[in-house]
Each structure stands twice: as structure tokens, then as C-alpha cells.
Amino acid sequence: MTEADSPARRQRDYAVIGAVGLVHSTSHVFQFCLPPMFPLLQEEFGMGFAALGSVVAAFYLASGLGQAFVGIFVDRWGGRRVLAAGMALLAGAILAMAFAPAFWMFLPLAVVAGLGNSVFHPADFAILASRVHPSRTGRAFSIHAFGGTLGYVVSPLLLAGLGFWLGWRTALAVGGVYGLMQAAFVYLARDLLGEEAPAAAAAKEGLREVAAAFGKLLVMPAMLAAFVYLTMTAMSSSGVQTFAAASLAAIHGIEFRTATLAVTLYLVGNAVGILAGGFIADATDRHDQVAAAGLIAAALLLASSVALTPPFAVVLALFAATGMAVGITSAARDILVKKLAPPGATGRTFGLVYSGFDIGSMLAPLLLGWFLDHGWPEGTLYGIAVAFAATILAIRIVDSFARAGYPAAPRTSP
């Protein structure tokens, strides 16, 4: 029996995976906690949707900017401590929103919450990469992604449902307290999520060495290609979640509420694909082929839902299949990025690359919304399909760097 197959190691690995996946799902619950309660906030403060949307934009802007740099602290102090601090900051800001007497206070609190949210990808991946056996990396990354998707699904059911039942202040207060409890758990779980060797190595670097290594990370071609990969992925997925329902309602002449079923099935298919993709990623070393095949399939399925003008029931099936195809690529994508991380720089590599998620989520409304504004809803879905397909070039570039043994940035000697 190998060390990886021993019951003790397997049990510890899955405990780490479960704990990190749970915390990641909570971060996504908080990301989506305000939009479903916009009507309640409108009633309380008399603000328009543009003003309410600015709170969400401030959150993602702070999260994206913070994520690019927070990996430095992950490499220096360890994922567990940074993850606990980020969760405490995010949950504390949400809790403070529950007591905000005026709407203007939501903007600075959203910035604080976004900075707290910025720690999750670099800290989570650093913990999983160091604490889980390599033979289970694919499943670890897939369950991590599944947790995020699950958070998006349950957020309207839990917090929004509680908000409409007992009031939005009660809902945010309950969520904030729960998040602070999770932060305390993460901080105290030293034996389970304890510090990894790369963090200890990075702690020996001085400020000059850290700045030099991070500067090289920013301009390395491998890092830029991975950043584009994540940005394109986020643009595509965000485009589906943001505009697919409105586009389908216009194309098929149906109610918006009915059209949202396609997005729901996309998310369900995505969750199923994510779980399956973890096992596939652990069974192969050609992660580039898995990622490319999934995105080609997603592009063809989504384009078919428009070009073939099928009945809406068929469109629903195509959207579910599209979500599954995209989900299968998730673990393979994360492993490709992990291969680029130099020793001791897992946190900063994932932090910088995954800031592309926030950038892509911000760009999607600006680029894809143009088609709807100009009366061509089909163009929105075609644009998303093209984005899926165009990502394949970035995948090939990232894989070529990884296979050449070319790290995103070399370590700087102390």
C-alpha cells in the first residue's frame, strides 16, 4: 500500500478538501447575497438599480485588485492564516452592512468585503496544493470549484429567503456571524490546514526579494497567457449568467422568468461537470486536451442553441450540456496553472492569475451587453460561444510553457 492510499492519508486529504470547499462556498454566498435583496434595499433607501449595482461593482473591483497581490502574503505567512483573516474581513463587512443607517455606507463596506474576498483563490489553492496528495489534486480542485458554484445556487435560497422573511438586516447579520465562526475555525485548524513548506521558504525573503520576484511574475509570458485564460473563461461564464436569460427571452418571445430556467440548468450542468472533471483530471496528464475539448464542445453547443433555432425545450438541454462541458474543464485548468507556479510562489501565482476572474466578470457586461442594446440578442450568445472557442489558444500556450518546465517566474535568491 502506498502512502497516498493509506486510510489515514486519504481521510486527512478529504478532510482538508471538505474544509476548504466549505469555506469557498461561503465566500460565493456572500458574493451573491445583495443582488437578490435589491428590492428590499430599494424600499428601505429609495435607491435606483444603478446605485445598487455600484456596490457590487465596488466589491469586485476591490476583490480583483486585492487578489493580484494577496498571494504574496499567502506565500509569506501561509494560506491558513491569510484565509482566516480574509473570511473575518469579508464576514465582518457583511455584518456591518446589517447595521448601516445610510446607503452611502455600503460602498466603503463593499470595498472592505471585496478585499476580504480577494484571499480565497490564492489561499485555498496554496492549502490544497501543499496539504493534499498529488494523486488527488484534480478532485481537490474540482470540489473547490463545486463549492463556489454551490454557494451561488444556495445564496438566494438562504440569505435572500431569510431577508424576505425576517428582513434584509437580519439576513446579513446571520450571514456575517456564520462567516466569523468559519474564520475562527480556519484559524484554529492548524493541524488540518497548517502551514506549508513554501510559506516557510518565502518568509525568509526580504522586501526587495519579494518585489523583484513579483515584478518578474507580472511580465512573464507564461503568467500573461494564464491570466488571459482565466479572463476569457470568466467572460464566457459571466456572460451566460448575466445575459443568457434576456437573450433567450427576446429570441423565443418568452417571459424572462421562463428563460432563466436555461441559466439554472447551465449552473446545474456546470456543477455536475466540475465533479466529473476532478476524476478525469486525476486520470490523465493531458489537462490541455481536457480543457480544450470541453470548451470546444461548449462553444458548439451554445452556438447550436441559436443557429439551429430549436424548440425551447431543446435549448434547455443544450444549456445544461454546455454547463457540463465547461465544468469538466475546471480542474484541468487549475492544474495547468499550478504547473506554472515556481517553488514557494503558489499563492502569488494563483492570486495574480485568478484576478482575471474578476476582470473578466467586469468586462462581460460591457462587451456582451452591446448586442442586446442594439437589438441583436443572438449576437450575445454567439459572442459567448466565440469567447469559449478563443480560449483554446491561451490553453495551448499555457500548456506549452508547463510542458517545457518553464515556470511563471523564477525564484529570487535571498
Side-chain angles (χ1 to χ4, degrees):
M1 177 185 294
T2 65
E3 189 267 344
D5 293 327
S6 69
R9 180 57 192 262
R10 187 164 54 246
Q11 183 179 13
R12 195 199 76 172
D13 281 358
Y14 283 117
V16 171
I17 294 168
V20 174
L22 175 63
V23 174
H24 188 223
S25 70
T26 302
S27 79
H28 280 241
V29 168
F30 285 143
Q31 287 178 35
F32 199 51
C33 68
L34 288 181
M37 291 191 284
F38 275 176
L40 298 175
L41 295 173
Q42 256 189 332
E43 182 179 346
E44 173 106 5
F45 297 109
M47 307 302 297
F49 281 107
L52 294 168
S54 68
V55 175
V56 179
F59 174 91
Y60 280 111
L61 179 61
S63 180
L65 294 176
Q67 189 169 186
F69 300 100
V70 75
I72 295 174
F73 304 108
V74 171
D75 293 331
R76 177 172 289 270
W77 296 324
R80 177 186 60 86
R81 283 181 283 186
V82 175
L83 181 59
M87 175 58 84
L89 200 63
L90 173 58
I94 297 298
L95 180 60
M97 287 181 184
F99 300 95
F103 178 76
W104 67 265
M105 297 182 67
F106 276 75
L107 282 172
L109 288 173
V111 172
V112 174
L115 291 175
N117 186 71
S118 70
V119 312
F120 287 95
H121 282 127
D124 288 356
F125 284 120
I127 292 172
L128 293 174
S130 65
R131 304 291 290 179
V132 175
H133 193 274
S135 65
R136 283 184 275 272
T137 298
R139 280 163 284 180
F141 287 172
S142 70
I143 292 175
H144 177 265
F146 177 80
T149 301
L150 185 64
Y152 279 144
V153 173
V154 304
S155 183
L157 301 176
L158 294 180
L159 289 185
L162 188 61
F164 280 92
W165 179 33
L166 297 177
W168 65 270
R169 293 185 185 275
T170 300
L172 294 183
V174 170
V177 170
Y178 174 69
L180 290 174
M181 291 171 60
Q182 274 202 0
F185 161 74
V186 172
Y187 183 77
L188 296 173
R190 181 185 299 272
D191 292 339
L192 184 64
L193 308 175
E195 316 315 334
E196 57 276 5
K204 298 178 181 179
E205 294 179 329
L207 180 61
R208 180 179 300 177
E209 288 80 14
V210 171
F214 190 73
K216 292 177 181 178
L217 201 71
L218 287 171
V219 298
M220 282 293 179
M223 175 58 63
L224 296 175
F227 176 83
V228 171
Y229 181 4
L230 270 293
T231 301
M232 295 292 287
T233 300
M235 285 181 59
S236 306
S237 296
S238 177
V240 172
Q241 295 181 54
T242 306
F243 295 119
S247 299
L248 291 174
I251 293 170
H252 292 271
I254 57 179
E255 292 185 0
F256 180 82
R257 185 182 307 175
T258 303
T260 58
L261 182 58
V263 179
T264 300
L265 290 176
Y266 172 90
L267 292 173
V268 172
N270 187 253
V272 173
I274 285 171
L275 292 178
F279 290 93
I280 295 173
D282 282 337
T284 181
D285 64 347
R286 293 312 307 264
H287 301 105
D288 60 315
Q289 294 182 356
V290 174
L295 293 180
I296 289 175
L300 292 175
L301 289 166
L302 192 60
S304 297
S305 71
V306 183
L308 302 180
T309 59
F312 188 66
V314 177
V315 171
L316 294 177
L318 290 172
F319 265 71
T322 300
M324 184 176 296
V326 175
I328 286 173
T329 72
S330 178
R333 174 200 64 209
D334 295 338
I335 292 177
L336 284 173
V337 175
K338 178 178 178 289
K339 290 177 181 178
L340 298 180
T346 302
R348 68 194 79 175
T349 298
F350 274 104
L352 186 55
V353 169
Y354 275 76
S355 65
F357 261 130
D358 297 291
I359 302 300
S361 297
M362 291 178 62
L363 289 176
L366 300 176
L367 300 178
L368 298 174
W370 183 90
F371 297 106
L372 277 173
D373 289 340
H374 288 76
W376 189 32
E378 296 87 352
T380 301
L381 298 181
Y382 281 134
I384 296 170
V386 169
F388 277 133
T391 308
I392 297 171
L393 177 60
I395 293 172
R396 296 299 303 159
I397 295 173
V398 170
D399 181 69
S400 66
F401 281 121
R403 287 189 170 275
Y406 182 66
R411 289 281 295 166
T412 302
S413 301

